[in-house]
Structure formats: structure tokens, C-alpha cells
Amino acid sequence: MHLVVVVAVMCFPCSSCVFVTFRLLPLWLAGHRDRSRPAMFSKGTKRKFSDGEDEMPDDGLAGAKVASSAYSLQRQSLLDMSLIKLQLCHMLVEPNLCRSVLIANTVRQIQEEMTHDGSWQVVSDSLGVEGSPSERLVATEVLCRSPSPSSTLSEQELERDTEPRLYSLVSYDDSSCREEEVVAEVIEDDNEALCSEAASNVCLSGTMSHCWEPGELRVQQNNDDICEDSRLGSGDEDVDVEEEDEDEEEEQEMSQKESKTMGQVFGTFEIKNGSSGSESALEELFSDVDASYYDLDTMLTGMQSTPKIGPYDLLDNLGPSHGPTSIGSTANCRSDLNELDHIMEIIVGS
Amino acid sequence: MLLALFSIKCKFTCFNGTLYHKPHNTAHLFYIHLPTDIISTVEFNHSGELLATGDKGGRVVIFQQETENKCQPLSRSEYNVYSTFQSHEPEFDYLKSLEIEEKINKIRWLPQKNAAQFLLSTNDKTIKLWKISERDKRPEGYNLKEEDGRYRDSTTITTLRVPVFRPMDLMVEASPRRIFANAHTYHINSISVNSDNETYLSADDLRINLWHLEITDRSFNIVDIKPANMEDLTEVITAAEFHPHQCNTFVYSSSKGTIRLCDMRASALCDRHSKLFEEPEDPSNRSFFSEIISSISDVKFSHSGRYMMTRDYLSVKIWDLNMENRPVETYQVHEYLRSKLCSLYENDCIFDKFECCWNGNDSVVMTGSYNNFFRMLDRSQRRDVTLEASRESSKPRQVLKPRRVCAGGKRKKDEISVDSLDFNKKILHTAWHPQENIIAVATTNNLYIFQEKVN
């Protein structure tokens, strides 16, 4: 049985809310890692070329496997660290753009490599995720950002698209998390319980309940376009052709999601006007305007606030394709937002 | 090559966080302890007589050099507080609901044209031109006013006299002459005065603007690397500088380890570079942190204008402007940190922006490191030394001892092991006197000034 830890990280300036679920592997529960010192990889972070494994004799294979799994753990840990760094935004001062860009590039790099290694598949298999074979784990994502469906997606994908996304599978000791607004709940491994409890405890908005549908775990894979020569791949590109085919649709999704995540991060730095698509306009608009101080009254009374929009209001208003209705109708919200958009354009003087 | 450096006394003291500067004719004091604010920039002026420091609290402190014997070259110097003023105040951006820090990111001196001194200081969003002038005379003998400024009763005035200037205690005044605001959406990281003494550039993360020193309501955007879609952003500008002699040439460095040289004569918008300086990556050193450590934190032209120096996380590279594909010299600053990159990433130290500087004749370069160490790299003699700026090791007149860091294995006597380095004590800002061998080194809240020992 696995222990599942649900963590909500609020980022007020860019009003995003990230839910990250950690499934604690027995390895970690046993206190495998010594957290008293900062994590230092004994062998540094040099990439171990996996094409070296092919030439190794059989008796060396076991050693190679151990080395590569250690490498994968290290890589995963680095990915999680990077994602946490990205989500942590300073309350009052604008975060450093250079630092954010560098971390985001590192995240991209790791995800590309993991995609091409096929590690996503491996990781999900090892946890024995139930459900159809095509359901896999996805990367950390901004909650309630419903991606616009790609035209090449199959119906099945489309259906899953409208559901919100989940979180990186990470074995990460809570004590090392540095964020202060973390709300953690240790829940039994029961997806239904996950739904309601997470919803009620973490977010007062009623819309949260739909986020935790059972069997909603999917893996998204990166678009090939993103991976340039920054790939740390071993060099042998023998990815299965059929794997590529079924991955491609998901890759496009992943790239969209990832780009939206990046957009969220960089959105705070810029007020954009008139981005394409009303939904993305909504997201970009709200990622910039505001919300460093959320209005508790607004949230509790469920009023649609016009001048100041708190993160919970934002979560209410986004994701109209999600099941249960938000507090306040979506239609009202959209007209308000269009107006706000218009006002913003005037102020910024586009 | 500097073999012996000793610290020199500075005449100022600090009490409860307030800096008091003593007039010049008082006795020496021995403190070199600055108030609690973190020093964020250090810069000598063109003659080296003045040294300006900016701190996180928006304050600028200027020190003036006093030589024991002006006639004798290389005699002992002292730097005493000359002027202190509040350059920038914290502001609030109401549109984004974010604070704008008052921290001074850069100070650049203008070449001196008359009795007054001018400098540009900038925080994240606003650049200010300050005039620092001395006043050592004051008028006395007004007819209509008393000495304290009160107006005299007109019925008591019976005679006329001519006011005269009488000497007074030296007073140094700083006044803001220009404020260049509202031109940057992102955080300003560099300013650089052009050799034409009329224009200067200011660079933020994505754009570079060209200003005229006299005109505050207009600036020209000369570089813009902002992508149409912010989600595609992968590279930012980290530093920019004008060429010391060619007023049409400037360079800017990026977070991907490239330097672009642009010629303003080519077009109004210099998005297309004239030269691109980039060293191909060493595949054997590839890791997830390769990009981060290749990000250039500072770029400086040599005084001659033939070379430029770049500082990335682990090394200093000297580039010949005529050769784009690789640097002519590469110096490792703290290679022993390469195996610790992951922890440095975790504690954010990997994002520290170290600066670098040339000496007056471009033969030695200097840059900072951790544990209050700084490195001097002699290009001509191919030697380097690591020194420490700390109170214990810097008693006045005491020669600095070279330090060594032990990367691994058996630690020799007097060596420090990598694991015992203090990563909170970092030297990010250093400056070298343009003519003499005097250096200013800023630790977190202390300023150290060292001079070459002459026997």
C-alpha cells in the first residue's frame, strides 16, 4: 500500500494553484535519504551514457542497472526541485526572470530526456497504476488550466483533455519543501477519498472536487520540436516506431501544457493584450493582473470581485469545461473579464 | 603581478546602522565596517580618486582617496567617506501589485568635465543622474538677511555692503539632475556610458535602451529579444556594455553563454548582431546544469578595447574581439565547485552573479568567489592567487596571505576543504583603481580596500 501525500502550493502573484501528489515509495519511507545535509550526488551530475550498457558483459549488467536507476532517481529529484523553485513566487517582489528562465530550461531538458528514455512509462508501470494501459502519469501542471484540445487528438484524448491534470510522481520528503503555504494531507490510497478530501481541505471552492477524478492519471510526452540538441540522450535514437506514433498526440498536448506552465511563470512579468483565444486570454490576463493578496471575504461569500481578483476567484472562473458549476455563472464571469480585458488594454495603452 | 596586498585604513565609522562621515582633518579611525545594508555595487571613477558603493537600501556612499604624499607615486592611500545620499526609494507598482526594490544595481561614473562629479545610479526600474559638488565657501554679509537666513527688519537697514565669500567647512552635496524612468518593463541589470559622453545604454532582461543624458522623456530601444509569445522565452540578457573607444559598438551577454556585439550604424534596431561570441560546449562536462553555469553574469571590455572578459559561474574567459568561435584565455575560478553543482542549485547559489574587473593595464583580472575569497588572475605571467577578505586576515598593514582550497583527498595544512566553505559569504562585486594597484572588494556588508605593498 502506498501513502499518498497531497500538497497544495499557492502562488499568489500569478494566482496559480498547483496540486502535487507524492506517492511515497517504500524506499523513501524507510528514510533512505539523509536529509540533514543538502542533497549532494556522490558522483556529481554527469550523465551516464546508457549506450555504454550495450557493450557491457552480462555480469556487468546488474551494476549498470543499479547505476542507471540511481541516475533516474537523481534526475527525478532534480526535476521536482526545479518545479518547486518555479512555483515559489515571492509575495511582494517580482521574481528574478533570469533565474526563472534557467530553471524552466532545466525542467524542459529533464522532461525531454525522460521522455526519450521512456522513463515516464517505466515510472508509471512500477507504481502499478490501475486503469487502461493508455492512462499514465502527467507532469506537474497548473490546476484548472484546461488546455485547448489539439486538432489531431483522438476522441479519447479529447475526453481526457477536458479533465484537469495531475502531478508528477515524486518521492520527496516533505521536510525539505521550503514553501510556507503548503497544505499537506496524507490520504489513503483511494482515489475517491482523494477527490473529496483534497477538495474540501485545500480549496474552499466547490470546483475543486472534479479535479481528482479516479483514474485520471496520464502521462504526457514532449513534443519533438522542443527537444533540440539540448537533449542529453545517449545518442541512440532507437525509440520504437509504434511508441512514437501513439506518443505523438500526447507529445503535442504535453508541449501545450508545458508551454502554458511556462507562460504562467513568465506571465507575471508582462501584461499581454489580446492573446488568441478567449480562454488563453483569460489565463494570461489573470496570471498577470494581480492577486498578490487574495480577498478572503470575496472568496467566502463567493462574490465576483471586479477590481481585485483573488486566486480562488480565479480558480472559480477558469475551466468552464469542468463538471460542477463554479460559484457564480461562467457567463457573467466572461463578460466581466472581457470588460476587464478592455480596461487593461486602455491602461497599458496598447 | 601583485604579490603583497595589505588593507588600508578607512576613516569612517558606523553606529546603529547610520553612517557618519568625518570631515577630512580629523584623526584616523580604524573601522572598515559598513552599516548593515548589503553592498550591491562598487565602482571607481575615471581618475580613481573617488569610489562609489551602492547598497540594498538604495543608498550611495562615495569615498575619496587621500594620499599620504601626493608627490610620491605609490605612497600609501586612504579612502575616506566623501558623500552619502539616498539615491532610490522603494516604490510600489500598483498595476502589478509588486514592490520595486530600491537596491542599487549599478553605478557608473561620467568622465569629469568641470568641478562637479556626475554619476548614474540605477535600481530595477529607474536610472538617476546625480551631481556631486563641493562647497567650501559661503556668502556672508547680505543686506536683507541675517546670517541665519531670517529677513532683517527693513527699518534697521542703514548701510549697504557687498556680500563676500568666506571659507567654510567643506560640504559635499549630491543632487539629482535627471531621472530616467518608465522605460523598462523588466529589471535593469546594466548601464553603460558611451565614449561620446552624451549617450548611455540601459539593459534589462529582454531589452536595451539608448538614452541621451540630457533627455529624460525619451529613449530608443536598440535591442529587443522578447519573443512574441512569452511562453517561448528561453534566453535573457544578463549584461551589456559600450565599447570604451568606439561609440557605435556595444556588447550584450545572455543567459545561454553567448555574447553579441552590435554596431549601431548598421540599423536602428540592433536585434541582428554583428558578431556572435560563443564557445562550443565541452561534451565531457555536460550535465543538467551546463546551461545554468554557462550563463554569463558579467561582461567587461578591456581598457584597450581589444579584448573583453566574461564571467560565468565557474570561469572567467577573455575574448579577442576579432575571434568569435572561442575565447583566447580561460581561467577557472573555483573548479572544485563543479561536483557540488546540485547542492548549489538547491540553495540557489548557482544563480549568483559574480562580477569581474580588469586592472589599469589589462594584465591582471579579478573576480570574486565564496567564503569571502577573491581571485586575481595574471594574464601575462599565467599565475593566479586566491585571497581572502575578512577582518581576521586583514589587519591594517598586514600582507594578505594566499589561500588554497582543497578539492578532495588529503587536505594539506592551511588548506580549506570544499565542504567547509561558507556559501553565504560571497564576493560578487570588486573594482580596480584605473591607474594604481588599489582594489575594492565588497563582501556582504563590508568594504575592503587593499593596496599593493611597496617597500
Side-chain angles (χ1 to χ4, degrees):
Chain A
M1 189 182 88
H2 299 287
L3 275 182
V4 179
V5 176
V6 176
V7 171
V9 179
M10 294 301 307
C11 170
F12 294 112
C14 53
S15 52
S16 66
C17 174
V18 180
F19 288 84
V20 186
T21 185
F22 305 130
R23 205 178 281 264
L24 299 175
L25 294 176
L27 193 62
W28 301 108
L29 290 174
H32 168 72
R33 244 162 104 170
D34 176 26
R35 281 285 171 185
S36 57
R37 296 189 50 153
M40 282 186 6
F41 300 144
S42 54
K43 298 229 167 137
T45 51
K46 288 196 179 170
R47 174 89 169 91
K48 293 177 178 27
F49 293 111
S50 56
D51 56 2
E53 291 175 17
D54 294 338
E55 287 126 323
M56 287 171 85
D58 283 345
D59 49 351
L61 266 179
K65 276 195 178 132
V66 167
S68 69
S69 71
Y71 173 77
S72 302
L73 280 174
Q74 291 171 4
R75 181 174 60 186
Q76 184 67 58
S77 163
L78 183 63
L79 176 64
D80 308 325
M81 204 193 309
S82 306
L83 291 169
I84 302 246
K85 278 183 191 294
L86 276 180
Q87 307 299 344
L88 275 181
C89 298
H90 294 269
M91 279 283 292
L92 291 175
V93 181
E94 252 180 292
N96 189 338
L97 183 61
C98 180
R99 177 177 171 271
S100 303
V101 166
L102 289 173
I103 299 174
N105 289 349
T106 308
V107 167
R108 264 196 210 105
Q109 205 181 326
I110 296 175
Q111 287 181 332
E112 282 162 28
E113 190 184 291
M114 289 180 88
T115 307
H116 285 270
D117 278 356
S119 305
W120 285 121
Q121 184 67 37
V122 168
V123 160
S124 65
D125 283 351
S126 70
L127 288 180
V129 174
E130 291 178 8
S132 66
S134 55
E135 285 171 354
R136 278 165 278 176
L137 296 157
V138 307
T140 301
E141 241 270 319
V142 176
L143 189 66
C144 290
R145 185 188 280 293
S146 61
S148 45
S150 164
S151 54
T152 61
L153 288 173
S154 66
E155 270 180 36
Q156 204 181 21
E157 314 284 79
L158 263 175
E159 190 191 337
R160 270 199 294 269
D161 277 349
T162 60
E163 309 292 353
R165 296 294 169 258
L166 289 186
Y167 315 168
S168 134
L169 175 64
V170 157
S171 316
Y172 205 90
D173 187 357
D174 258 15
S175 61
S176 66
C177 292
R178 286 175 286 171
E179 57 271 21
E180 286 127 17
E181 293 112 352
V182 166
V183 172
E185 286 266 329
V186 177
I187 308 171
E188 297 284 327
D189 187 10
D190 176 349
N191 284 333
E192 254 102 22
L194 214 65
C195 274
S196 46
E197 282 198 36
S200 58
N201 290 324
V202 174
C203 183
L204 297 181
S205 157
T207 54
M208 290 306 102
S209 58
H210 64 273
C211 299
W212 298 77
E213 303 278 342
E216 263 321 301
L217 309 175
R218 286 189 67 221
V219 138
Q220 303 282 327
Q221 296 189 355
N222 263 322
N223 196 333
D224 269 331
D225 293 346
I226 299 178
C227 96
E228 302 138 346
D229 47 357
S230 63
R231 247 196 75 210
L232 291 186
S234 58
D236 57 71
E237 310 245 345
D238 43 2
V239 182
D240 282 347
V241 175
E242 44 179 36
E243 195 182 1
E244 264 182 10
D245 282 343
E246 71 186 8
D247 290 349
E248 194 175 315
E249 291 153 350
E250 284 145 8
E251 280 171 12
Q252 288 186 4
E253 263 236 7
M254 172 59 172
S255 70
Q256 280 166 23
K257 276 198 231 336
E258 191 176 63
S259 63
K260 285 193 160 60
T261 311
M262 302 308 167
Q264 186 78 359
V265 171
F266 301 134
T268 44
F269 302 103
E270 168 82 5
I271 306 236
K272 279 165 61 171
N273 303 305
S275 35
S276 58
S278 61
E279 202 154 76
S280 55
L282 277 183
E283 291 157 0
E284 295 311 334
L285 186 66
F286 284 101
S287 66
D288 304 328
V289 171
D290 159 69
S292 31
Y293 309 106
Y294 68 94
D295 190 348
L296 194 64
D297 289 339
T298 309
M299 178 181 72
L300 291 176
T301 59
M303 279 164 28
Q304 291 290 327
S305 66
T306 23
K308 221 165 33 151
I309 306 200
Y312 292 135
D313 293 328
L314 170 66
L315 296 172
D316 288 347
N317 298 336
L318 289 181
S321 56
H322 298 146
T325 55
S326 54
I327 298 168
S329 70
T330 319
N332 277 350
C333 153
R334 277 193 187 272
S335 62
D336 282 344
L337 292 168
N338 287 336
E339 214 174 86
L340 197 56
D341 200 348
H342 180 59
I343 292 169
M344 289 308 302
E345 279 180 26
I346 294 170
I347 292 172
V348 176
S350 65
Chain B
M1 170 66 179
L2 291 174
L3 292 174
L5 287 176
F6 64 93
S7 64
I8 55 186
K9 293 188 298 226
C10 301
K11 256 196 255 184
F12 59 95
T13 184
C14 135
F15 179 71
N16 280 349
T18 311
L19 189 69
Y20 295 87
H21 56 269
K22 302 282 180 182
H24 297 254
N25 53 359
T26 58
H28 296 192
L29 291 166
F30 292 83
Y31 296 97
I32 43 172
H33 179 223
L34 272 185
T36 48
D37 258 335
I38 298 170
I39 300 172
S40 52
T41 184
V42 181
E43 185 80 0
F44 279 99
N45 76 337
H46 292 268
S47 64
E49 185 203 353
L50 297 176
L51 173 66
T53 61
D55 65 24
K56 199 157 157 272
R59 207 168 21 178
V60 171
V61 179
I62 302 177
F63 300 88
Q64 187 184 42
Q65 184 181 19
E66 282 187 2
T67 327
E68 220 172 37
N69 189 341
K70 282 194 170 51
C71 307
Q72 226 182 33
L74 299 180
S75 59
R76 276 203 308 266
S77 294
E78 285 178 3
Y79 274 83
N80 310 306
V81 174
Y82 179 66
S83 171
T84 309
F85 56 93
Q86 186 75 31
S87 170
H88 285 74
E89 299 280 356
E91 286 169 25
F92 194 76
D93 181 343
Y94 296 98
L95 203 60
K96 295 189 194 175
S97 290
L98 292 169
E99 272 187 8
I100 299 172
E101 282 189 317
E102 68 275 29
K103 171 166 78 89
I104 308 291
N105 291 335
K106 281 281 163 18
I107 289 175
R108 289 286 181 262
W109 290 92
L110 267 56
Q112 190 173 13
K113 281 198 272 199
N114 51 32
Q117 301 277 355
F118 288 87
L119 61 78
L120 286 170
S121 71
T122 183
N123 69 347
D124 283 339
K125 299 283 186 185
T126 306
I127 306 137
K128 293 188 184 180
L129 177 69
W130 288 88
K131 176 178 176 184
I132 295 106
S133 48
E134 291 185 358
R135 190 190 294 205
D136 61 355
K137 298 182 188 46
R138 71 156 191 250
E140 279 180 20
Y142 281 114
N143 290 296
L144 299 174
K145 278 195 283 189
E146 299 285 1
E147 294 309 330
D148 56 10
R150 278 179 305 142
Y151 280 97
R152 287 166 76 179
D153 183 7
S154 50
T155 56
T156 64
I157 300 172
T158 52
T159 58
L160 269 182
R161 57 185 175 172
V162 177
V164 292
F165 276 103
R166 295 206 190 283
M168 60 179 248
D169 284 344
L170 181 67
M171 198 166 71
V172 181
E173 298 170 322
S175 58
R177 305 306 277 185
R178 305 270 186 279
I179 296 180
F180 305 91
N182 301 323
H184 286 278
T185 309
Y186 305 97
H187 292 177
I188 298 175
N189 52 52
S190 314
I191 48 175
S192 177
V193 184
N194 204 347
S195 50
D196 64 7
N197 288 334
E198 285 184 356
T199 56
Y200 74 96
L201 64 76
S202 58
D204 66 27
D205 293 319
L206 296 178
R207 297 189 179 104
I208 301 181
N209 292 333
L210 181 72
W211 301 83
H212 192 283
L213 285 166
E214 301 288 332
I215 299 169
T216 58
D217 58 358
R218 236 181 317 157
S219 77
F220 295 96
N221 177 245
I222 51 178
V223 172
D224 188 342
I225 65 167
K226 178 170 173 289
N229 193 350
M230 276 296 270
E231 295 158 3
D232 300 331
L233 181 65
T234 55
E235 191 173 11
V236 299
I237 296 171
T238 51
E241 195 179 53
F242 265 120
H243 190 278
H245 310 306
Q246 295 166 16
C247 58
N248 53 280
T249 307
F250 67 94
V251 293
Y252 68 94
S253 60
S254 80
S255 58
K256 285 202 168 166
T258 63
I259 308 103
R260 286 172 173 80
L261 184 142
C262 300
D263 188 334
M264 295 197 293
R265 297 171 299 188
S267 68
L269 193 59
C270 299
D271 277 359
R272 287 179 53 204
H273 53 263
S274 300
K275 293 196 186 195
L276 174 69
F277 297 86
E278 187 174 13
E279 186 175 24
E281 202 179 354
D282 178 9
S284 64
N285 272 336
R286 192 91 171 82
S287 75
F288 286 118
F289 304 109
S290 294
E291 186 183 322
I292 300 180
I293 61 169
S294 72
S295 169
I296 291 173
S297 52
D298 194 18
V299 65
K300 290 262 172 44
F301 277 104
S302 65
H303 291 98
S304 64
R306 166 96 190 264
Y307 299 96
M308 69 177 173
M309 164 167 55
T310 58
R311 174 71 156 98
D312 49 71
Y313 191 64
L314 295 180
S315 66
V316 161
K317 294 179 182 174
I318 313 280
W319 302 79
D320 185 324
L321 292 186
N322 300 315
M323 186 161 75
E324 298 170 57
N325 57 356
R326 60 179 176 81
V328 289
E329 294 156 32
T330 303
Y331 301 97
Q332 299 304 328
V333 179
H334 36 216
E335 183 69 10
Y336 46 80
L337 295 183
R338 195 179 286 274
S339 55
K340 312 286 179 201
L341 289 179
C342 192
S343 352
L344 293 167
Y345 180 70
E346 192 175 349
N347 63 16
D348 268 9
C349 281
I350 207 174
F351 300 109
D352 286 337
K353 291 195 188 302
F354 291 94
E355 291 175 13
C356 53
C357 59
W358 297 84
N359 76 337
N361 60 11
D362 299 337
S363 60
V364 185
V365 298
M366 173 166 69
T367 188
S369 178
Y370 292 106
N371 208 67
N372 282 346
F373 287 168
F374 61 99
R375 300 263 288 145
M376 298 176 93
L377 311 154
D378 190 332
R379 298 175 61 212
S380 46
Q381 296 181 14
R382 295 284 171 172
R383 287 200 293 181
D384 59 271
V385 70
T386 305
L387 300 168
E388 184 179 359
S390 72
R391 298 252 219 124
E392 295 74 34
S393 64
S394 310
K395 311 230 174 8
R397 307 287 148 74
Q398 180 186 343
V399 173
L400 287 178
K401 208 174 59 167
R403 310 303 303 248
R404 299 189 91 82
V405 177
C406 159
K410 205 157 146 51
R411 186 173 77 88
K412 301 193 193 65
K413 184 177 141 241
D414 275 356
E415 277 188 358
I416 297 180
S417 80
V418 186
D419 297 319
S420 51
L421 292 176
D422 187 345
F423 290 98
N424 291 320
K425 293 187 184 165
K426 47 192 100 171
I427 292 179
L428 301 174
H429 311 286
T430 58
W432 204 307
H433 191 292
Q435 276 125 34
E436 300 173 37
N437 280 334
I438 298 175
I439 59 174
V441 171
T443 59
T444 312
N445 15 31
N446 292 318
L447 180 71
Y448 292 84
I449 303 179
F450 299 109
Q451 185 177 14
E452 182 185 18
K453 183 166 182 170
V454 202
N455 295 319

